[in-house]
Amino acid sequence: METQAFQRIYTKIEQLTKATCTVRATGVGNEELALVHGRLGQVVKIMEDEVTLQIFSGTEGIPTNAEVAFFGKPPTLQVGEALAGRFFNAYGQPIDGGPEVEGEEREIGGPSVNPVRRRQPSELITTGIAGIDLNNTLVTGQKIPFFADPDQPFNQVMAMVALRGQADKIILGGMGLTNDDYLFFKQVFENAGALHRIISFVNTTENPPVERLLVPDMALTAAEYFAVDKQEKVLVLLTDMTLYADALSIVSNRMDQIPSKDSMPGSLYSDLARLYEKAVQFDHGGSITIIAVTTLSGGDITHAIPDNTGYITEGQLFLRRDTEIGKVIVDPFRSLSRLKQLVIGKKTRPDHPQVMNAAVRLYADAANARTKLENGFDLTDYDERTLEFAREYSGRLLAIDVNIDTEEMLNVGWELFSKHFSKEEVAIRKDFVDKYWVE
Amino acid sequence: MSTSPNISATGKVTGIIANLVIVRFEGAVSQNEVCFIQHEDTALMAEVIKVQKGLAYVQAFESTRGLKIGADVTFRGHMLEATLGPGILSRNYDGLMHDLDTMTGVFLKRGEYTDALDSERKWDFNPVAKEGDTVIAGDWLGEVRENAVLHRIMAPFQMNGKYTLKSLAKAGAYRVNDTIAVLTDSDGRDVDVTMVQKWPIKQAIRAYQEKPRPFRLLETGVRTMDTLNPIVEGGTGFIPGPFGSGKTVMQHAISRQAEADVVVVAACGERANEVVELFTEFPELDDPWTGRKLMERTVIIANTSNMPVAAREASVYTAMTISEYYRSMGLKVLMLADSTSRWAQALREMSNRLEELPGPDAFPMDLSAIISNFYARAGIVYLNNGKTGSITFIGTVSPAGGNLKEPVTESTRKAARCFYALSQQRADSKRYPAIDPIDSYSKYLEYPELQQALNEQIAPDWVDRVNELKNILIRGKEAAEQINILGDDGVSIDYHMTYWRSEICDAVILQQDAFDDVDARTPIKRQKYMLYKVLDICNTGFSFESYEEVNPYFKRIINQLRQMNYSEFESDKFQEFEAGLEEIISERKAG
Ligand SMILES: Nc1ncnc2c1ncn2[C@@H]1O[C@H](COP(=O)(O)OP(=O)(O)O)[C@@H](O)[C@H]1O
Ligand SMILES: [Mg+2]
């Protein structure tokens, strides 16, 4: 971005911190973008003629007599069909060697949809993964993160879900992505022949962390263009939101805000909700679905980042390595899709809710039996059977490498119930048992 | 609400930090006064939250993007107000009581403030007072029919002292802003009264004689509440729980099923899709008490988490003011707020921006007092005419990290009389509603006047039987702990039976599927039937040879009882399952 003639230029920098600088200037609008010593910054505070900017790439080497040129507008993205198939950095500039996108210029981080203009989500997204389709069914217009430890294959699962999910556009917002992961996504999408419906905004670990703050808004502005203007089904992938939140805390700490839990800003909930709530279903069929990744440290979901996320999103998907079968599974206990009841048993077979619940209940009994075993107690016959059931349930349904349709998942469920348990032990409504029990 | 602006002072913007705007002003401004900040061609609504060294600190109810130093500000001489009159029911408002449905466009537009009431619609008015009557604030002058309720047109709550009713409109059709009465004060001054009045939302409406202790059950159809820990008409309760434990599902169930004339739902800083669920379903679902559509008795105040933070705080007060307005008409109002923690967080965000000295977890120091004052606005009241009206208030709390020892939960515990603790463990094992039966309580169950009312309404020994149920649950928990420590065969069969008795109570009384058409709502008559049935089984002696027989046997009993729960009460199917149950019981009945 070059300095243009109409811009107002100031040179009196009064204060510098690691992430912000304060300059004396007038006529500046809140949240306006500026170029400071060749780096992009955004206005975060104005007191009389003292304007504080957050400098996305950090302030190292900025002198007090640096040139500050204000743009007269907040960060924007040029939107248009031409976005499809392209890769951009956090500022929306191409990084794939292609030309700048010509199109309508839109402010990023725009207003919210009026809640009465939304429609209740009801369109199933199938992924073939039973841990999702059977137990935690997703729908368009939903927002849901993977909660995963950093060593789990969340990006792989996310790419798989994205490709199977039949979206018109897939928008990847990468924050603090390693270069390897960035290339992984590129390659998977390319191999699937899907590049023409992918749009990526990427900040890698090689880029300054504060830049990440722009990525979700860029991705969601592009998503709103396709979902609202083009009435398309858009799937937005945001990885890793924990690194996004870390960047928020860097800026707020530099601005001397009082931190709340885990040194996160007191506004973390609102900051995250503003993004996640962009997920929406419209009457005309256009929708934005958000699948995100929140990495955990040591599996701790009480940390402020996963905790606030869980309060905002419509469920969460937990990945866990099941040592019994040596595979990664979608954990049925802590995972939840809050919108599943809008579709299960309605858009899927009527026995779906009951099969789902019964299986999870029996799996929980198996977990109790395992605890008993570990504490050195004898197992009852029922305990033994739950353990056998759990092993098969885990391998044939929960493992993320399973790829079958929902009908088959339900059939496998009934097969396992019938094999290991009596009808009373399964305790499903009688009319379903009569119909599906495998004698 | 752009009625001719009454400008009390003017000023100019001198500072902007997110939605906190600092204004140098001329004239007098007051704390909590409403002002408008002129940004290009839109006026952004804001509220004074502090005045210091000649500067007013105002919180904008909108994004301040693009706002510049020097922008003009006008102060309006009044605080944040609710607009009260016929036509509130069935509406969807934002936190400041702007009608969401009449806004234009897909996206919310900054500065688009729609009217709360339809000023064109005509209402059939019937006078109920007589010219010459002496009236005080809140007295009923007339009435219009609004959906299923009689909407009383009242003497303005702002009035002080006694007035004489000089003239009153005859029966006929009037618009809300038409004058329907003229009142004369003691100095002979006349006041015109329309069907609309305004009231500052942060002040309680006190147009009643007294507030007795609550004494009547408010039936919700949720068994863990009605049977175990009942809420009462005019009572207060709160539902704390980690995310995903079932707070919202529970509140929605209560809002659909509770025995109330008017339900005010404040969706405070939570998910938009959850409000959409209400918008979508309530116009279709029936009110089980009147057979009319649920939406007819409902008002939704939506400030979802992506709507302006400052308006989030206002949203709960707007909802409470609307509730007080309908209570003054002698109605049973139920108000629900999901989640009060978001409101507290909005206070925290602003307090931090004001650089106030923070209290625990960076919440404002006076958080506890703010919460107590709010809960104190609920209650059952005797109106001036001797009739009762009530506001039952239930709020959810979203404790950070699920830890109940945090400021919002602790402050709310001091204010609310019913505590419905949602447990992560129960939610994880899909025991819904995940209310912990042992930690939760209803203080009202200790009120002799309520005990008496319950025994009269349900059964003479009802309260004793409820306590019996509680004991079974506690003993079952103790037995489970013993079995865990000593192993299945390390305890006597009695322990297993004690444990399984509590499992029956849990599975059949406590657990309730909010998504099953039949199970979702259990009328009190059915709750009584099932409680007595379950207690009978718990009081039956069974004989077992070994502990291994206990688990499968009780599972069969539970299965049968659950099938009853899923069947229409007293239907053929219900009776069939009951007969099956009796057979199973007779298999092992001792003696
Ligand atoms: N009574 C219930 N019956 C069945 N499922 C429930 C019940 N209560 C909660 N759930 C399940 O738990 C999920 C989360 O509940 P919700 O009320 O949204 O949690 P919270 O508001 O506490 O975050 C729901 O989407 C639903 O799947
Ligand atoms: Mg909730």
Side-chain angles (χ1 to χ4, degrees):
Chain A
M1 295 192 191
E2 291 149 32
T3 322
Q4 290 162 24
F6 61 83
Q7 291 169 346
R8 291 155 287 130
I9 297 179
Y10 298 85
T11 54
K12 219 166 148 32
I13 292 184
E14 303 255 304
Q15 196 185 326
L16 284 160
T17 71
K18 270 189 189 163
T20 65
C21 79
T22 303
V23 60
R24 279 199 190 275
T26 53
V28 175
N30 194 23
E31 297 182 22
E32 190 172 312
L33 210 56
L35 204 59
V36 180
H37 199 60
R39 297 177 205 179
L40 279 168
Q42 188 176 13
V43 175
V44 288
K45 179 176 173 181
I46 312 176
M47 296 301 266
E48 304 275 8
D49 63 346
E50 283 182 19
V51 179
T52 304
L53 298 117
Q54 103 189 357
I55 310 297
F56 293 110
S57 57
T59 53
E60 294 89 346
I62 294 184
T64 52
N65 63 351
E67 271 196 1
V68 182
F70 289 92
F71 288 33
K73 62 181 185 193
T76 57
L77 176 72
Q78 313 254 88
V79 295
E81 282 290 357
L83 284 170
R86 301 293 309 276
F87 288 79
F88 305 93
N89 66 12
Y91 306 109
Q93 299 160 334
I95 51 169
D96 52 7
E100 291 263 355
V101 170
E102 300 282 324
E104 190 194 325
E105 186 174 18
R106 295 230 175 128
E107 290 186 8
I108 67 167
S112 308
V113 172
N114 182 341
V116 301
R117 300 284 175 267
R118 290 169 175 261
R119 214 186 68 180
Q120 192 169 30
S122 65
E123 197 181 325
L124 196 75
I125 297 178
T126 51
T127 68
I129 301 171
I132 296 176
D133 296 4
L134 178 65
N135 289 344
N136 299 290
T137 324
L138 304 183
V139 292
T140 59
Q142 183 166 10
K143 46 193 178 287
I144 193 164
F146 281 100
F147 278 180
D149 283 324
D151 60 342
Q152 276 155 351
F154 46 82
N155 282 335
Q156 283 79 337
V157 180
M158 198 158 80
M160 206 148 77
V161 169
L163 288 171
R164 291 187 197 158
Q166 291 160 347
D168 296 319
K169 292 285 180 305
I170 299 170
I171 302 183
L172 172 68
M175 290 152 280
L177 218 53
T178 63
N179 201 45
D180 293 359
D181 281 338
Y182 165 55
L183 294 174
F184 161 80
F185 275 112
K186 217 170 160 176
Q187 197 192 351
V188 178
F189 293 149
E190 202 169 337
N191 291 348
L195 268 190
H196 62 285
R197 50 188 187 103
I198 310 274
I199 301 138
S200 297
F201 296 89
V202 179
N203 154 281
T204 66
T205 43
E206 290 162 24
N207 306 128
V210 179
E211 274 181 19
R212 283 170 207 159
L213 294 179
L214 291 167
V215 168
D217 279 319
M218 285 286 170
L220 291 163
T221 303
E224 279 182 340
Y225 167 73
F226 287 106
V228 178
D229 298 41
K230 301 288 162 185
Q231 312 192 349
E232 292 188 348
K233 280 204 281 180
V234 183
L235 184 61
V236 177
L237 312 177
L238 298 176
T239 175
D240 169 356
M241 288 300 283
T242 297
L243 297 178
Y244 173 83
D246 285 341
L248 279 177
S249 78
I250 294 175
V251 174
S252 79
N253 290 351
R254 297 284 180 262
M255 289 184 62
D256 297 326
Q257 285 172 7
I258 308 158
S260 63
K261 201 167 166 275
D262 299 316
S263 12
M264 284 291 143
S267 59
L268 181 65
Y269 177 84
S270 305
D271 296 335
L272 293 176
R274 193 178 60 77
L275 301 173
Y276 282 118
E277 282 291 338
K278 290 279 182 191
V280 61
Q281 175 72 53
F282 292 108
D283 255 330
H284 51 57
S287 65
I288 299 176
T289 308
I290 300 179
I291 299 185
V293 168
T294 301
T295 48
L296 307 176
S297 85
D300 177 15
I301 62 153
T302 62
H303 183 281
I305 300 172
D307 186 49
N308 279 284
T309 304
Y311 276 118
I312 293 163
T313 53
E314 281 144 352
Q316 61 280 333
L317 299 167
F318 264 90
L319 295 182
R320 171 166 75 79
R321 174 160 290 277
D322 185 342
T323 45
E324 290 284 314
I325 60 161
K327 283 183 176 175
V328 175
I329 62 166
V330 181
D331 188 325
F333 297 143
R334 309 309 302 276
S335 302
L336 169 71
S337 162
R338 291 162 185 267
L339 300 188
K340 67 179 177 226
Q341 49 260 13
L342 298 173
V343 290
I344 59 172
K346 295 176 188 152
K347 302 271 160 103
T348 62
R349 222 165 70 183
D351 56 324
H352 186 159
Q354 296 236 338
V355 171
M356 167 187 87
N357 284 331
V360 174
R361 194 161 21 81
L362 295 165
Y363 192 67
D365 284 349
N368 289 339
R370 204 162 295 126
T371 314
K372 263 199 210 170
L373 199 63
E374 281 158 11
N375 294 342
F377 294 126
D378 292 341
L379 296 186
T380 62
D381 162 60
Y382 177 77
D383 291 334
E384 300 280 4
R385 286 184 286 124
T386 58
L387 289 177
E388 283 161 30
F389 164 79
R391 218 164 288 126
E392 272 195 83
Y393 176 59
S394 200
R396 291 180 61 187
L397 289 173
L398 298 181
I400 54 167
D401 58 0
V402 172
N403 183 9
I404 52 179
D405 70 22
T406 313
E407 179 105 18
E408 194 177 344
M409 294 171 194
L410 293 170
N411 293 341
V412 172
W414 283 106
E415 184 197 322
L416 300 183
F417 294 156
S418 313
K419 181 169 163 193
H420 300 287
F421 301 106
S422 70
K423 290 178 187 172
E424 282 89 6
E425 284 166 339
V426 175
I428 290 183
R429 235 168 63 187
K430 190 166 171 303
D431 40 340
F432 292 134
V433 175
D434 291 345
K435 193 157 173 192
Y436 296 110
W437 194 262
V438 187
E439 294 295 347
Chain B
M1 281 159 278
S2 44
T3 41
S4 61
N6 182 359
I7 295 170
S8 63
T10 59
K12 288 202 184 299
V13 171
T14 67
I16 308 158
I17 313 161
N19 74 325
L20 174 65
V21 177
I22 302 162
V23 182
R24 177 164 296 121
F25 62 93
E26 268 164 48
V29 308
S30 45
Q31 178 73 342
N32 296 112
E33 184 169 347
V34 167
C35 63
F36 284 85
I37 305 165
Q38 195 64 35
H39 171 57
E40 292 165 358
D41 51 5
T42 48
L44 310 178
M45 196 169 168
E47 177 191 20
V48 177
I49 50 174
K50 179 168 104 172
V51 178
Q52 198 175 41
K53 294 189 183 142
L55 296 173
Y57 290 68
V58 309
Q59 59 173 344
F61 295 115
E62 304 278 3
S63 152
T64 55
R65 178 181 277 187
L67 187 65
K68 293 179 179 169
I69 299 301
D72 288 319
V73 179
T74 53
F75 294 84
R76 296 303 166 87
H78 63 80
M79 295 187 276
L80 264 188
E81 292 169 332
T83 305
L84 305 168
I88 293 175
L89 295 183
S90 314
R91 264 182 223 266
N92 306 314
Y93 292 116
D94 73 5
L96 305 171
M97 214 178 164
H98 302 122
D99 189 341
L100 287 167
D101 288 282
T102 55
M103 291 179 188
T104 55
V106 171
F107 294 95
L108 296 167
K109 262 204 292 292
R110 267 204 294 196
E112 183 179 19
Y113 302 126
T114 51
D115 289 336
L117 300 176
D118 181 347
S119 56
E120 290 310 310
R121 172 159 177 196
K122 288 196 163 173
W123 297 86
D124 282 325
F125 172 82
N126 270 311
V128 297
K130 289 188 309 297
E131 286 170 10
D133 281 357
T134 302
V135 297
I136 58 171
D139 280 359
W140 301 352
L141 305 177
E143 62 199 24
V144 302
R145 179 158 288 281
E146 182 182 15
N147 301 343
V149 308
L150 268 187
H151 186 120
R152 319 287 177 169
I153 308 301
M154 293 169 276
F157 302 128
Q158 299 279 14
M159 292 185 346
N160 274 319
K162 293 192 165 115
Y163 285 64
T164 310
L165 182 55
K166 185 174 172 190
S167 67
L168 182 62
K170 297 195 176 43
Y174 300 89
R175 295 186 182 85
V176 287
N177 290 314
D178 293 341
T179 298
I180 54 101
V182 178
L183 298 173
T184 312
D185 72 9
S186 50
D187 298 331
R189 273 186 306 249
D190 286 351
V191 186
D192 286 351
V193 176
T194 67
M195 291 198 258
V196 183
Q197 51 174 318
K198 302 225 173 194
W199 183 264
I201 59 173
K202 289 192 181 157
Q203 286 172 15
I205 298 176
R206 292 220 165 77
Y208 52 79
Q209 290 180 41
E210 63 165 318
K211 215 182 224 183
R213 296 216 308 182
F215 49 86
R216 274 202 296 254
L217 173 71
L218 184 97
E219 192 180 318
T220 65
V222 177
R223 296 188 290 261
T224 39
M225 291 180 74
D226 297 354
T227 296
L228 213 64
N229 290 308
I231 185 95
V232 290
E233 212 183 291
T236 52
F238 79 119
I239 312 175
F243 62 80
S245 56
K247 298 180 292 297
T248 306
V249 169
M250 172 108 180
Q251 272 211 341
H252 283 193
I254 297 168
S255 69
R256 282 193 301 267
Q257 301 170 181
E259 185 190 1
D261 300 315
V262 171
V263 178
V264 183
V265 180
C268 174
E270 293 281 310
R271 303 174 184 86
N273 276 336
E274 291 172 348
V275 195
V276 174
E277 188 179 323
L278 303 181
F279 295 157
T280 313
E281 294 178 357
F282 275 33
E284 306 297 324
L285 295 175
D286 293 335
D287 171 358
W289 300 92
T290 60
R292 300 172 74 119
K293 294 298 170 213
L294 271 182
M295 201 59 213
E296 291 190 30
R297 68 172 199 182
T298 310
V299 189
I300 297 169
I301 313 294
N303 178 279
T304 57
S305 58
N306 54 342
M307 290 164 82
V309 175
R312 201 187 283 169
E313 188 213 343
S315 69
V316 292
Y317 289 100
T318 299
M320 186 54 92
T321 306
I322 292 173
S323 302
E324 288 173 332
Y325 177 60
Y326 280 95
R327 174 173 67 185
S328 307
M329 299 174 201
L331 297 171
K332 256 192 261 182
V333 182
L334 171 67
M335 176 181 160
L336 301 165
D338 186 13
S339 145
T340 59
S341 293
R342 306 298 162 221
W343 154 44
Q345 284 179 339
L347 294 174
R348 174 169 73 183
E349 281 184 35
M350 198 34 81
S351 155
N352 292 358
R353 255 171 230 138
L354 288 170
E355 297 178 2
E356 289 174 352
L357 198 64
D361 287 2
F363 281 106
M365 286 292 215
D366 54 351
L367 180 72
S368 214
I370 294 173
I371 291 176
S372 295
N373 282 340
F374 187 79
Y375 274 80
R377 289 174 70 169
I380 188 164
V381 298
Y382 288 114
L383 302 172
N384 296 332
N385 59 12
K387 299 211 161 57
T388 59
S390 64
I391 299 172
T392 308
F393 174 64
I394 302 175
T396 65
V397 171
S398 318
N403 171 14
L404 298 189
K405 294 223 171 332
E406 56 89 49
V408 184
T409 316
E410 293 202 317
S411 305
T412 311
R413 200 196 274 270
K414 288 180 213 149
R417 311 239 80 199
C418 290
F419 173 62
Y420 301 107
L422 291 174
S423 118
Q424 180 76 62
Q425 211 186 346
R426 279 183 75 84
D428 284 348
S429 54
K430 315 280 176 212
R431 293 180 178 228
Y432 292 119
I435 298 179
D436 186 307
I438 292 166
D439 291 350
S440 303
Y441 57 79
S442 162
K443 290 270 183 220
Y444 300 114
L445 205 51
E446 294 160 15
Y447 289 17
E449 54 268 54
L450 182 71
Q451 294 182 349
Q452 192 187 337
L454 289 172
N455 288 346
E456 276 166 19
Q457 185 192 342
I458 308 171
D461 60 346
W462 178 254
V463 177
D464 291 339
R465 305 300 313 256
V466 170
N467 286 324
E468 191 181 334
L469 172 70
K470 290 189 175 195
N471 279 333
I472 294 173
L473 291 165
I474 293 169
R475 285 207 304 270
K477 191 178 171 190
E478 291 163 356
E481 282 161 7
Q482 288 299 312
I483 297 171
N484 267 340
I485 297 168
L486 301 172
D488 283 333
D489 49 5
V491 296
S492 71
I493 289 188
D494 281 347
Y495 279 79
H496 289 276
M497 286 176 48
T498 305
Y499 168 68
W500 279 99
R501 279 190 205 108
S502 76
E503 280 292 286
I504 297 183
C505 298
D506 192 327
V508 180
I509 309 283
L510 304 185
Q511 293 173 46
Q512 187 171 7
D513 186 346
F515 304 113
D516 183 86
D517 289 339
V518 177
D519 199 29
R521 171 172 176 262
T522 312
I524 205 76
K525 187 175 159 211
R526 183 173 179 158
Q527 293 191 34
K528 173 188 160 194
Y529 188 85
M530 291 310 285
L531 177 65
Y532 284 45
K533 175 118 268 166
V534 162
L535 290 179
D536 277 351
I537 299 174
C538 291
N539 291 327
T540 305
F542 294 107
S543 43
F544 294 102
E545 301 288 309
S546 87
Y547 75 87
E548 288 189 306
E549 293 168 1
V550 180
N551 166 332
Y553 181 70
F554 275 93
K555 278 206 173 139
R556 286 170 63 207
I557 293 182
I558 289 174
N559 181 35
Q560 210 68 18
L561 282 161
R562 267 180 188 270
Q563 304 290 355
M564 286 169 71
N565 273 349
Y566 283 122
S567 315
E568 213 65 68
F569 189 41
E570 293 172 337
S571 65
D572 290 348
K573 248 173 83 190
F574 182 88
Q575 273 149 5
E576 224 173 274
F577 287 125
E578 192 168 14
L581 174 68
E582 300 305 333
E583 257 173 53
I584 298 176
I585 289 173
S586 60
E587 283 175 25
R588 286 188 182 269
K589 198 165 170 174

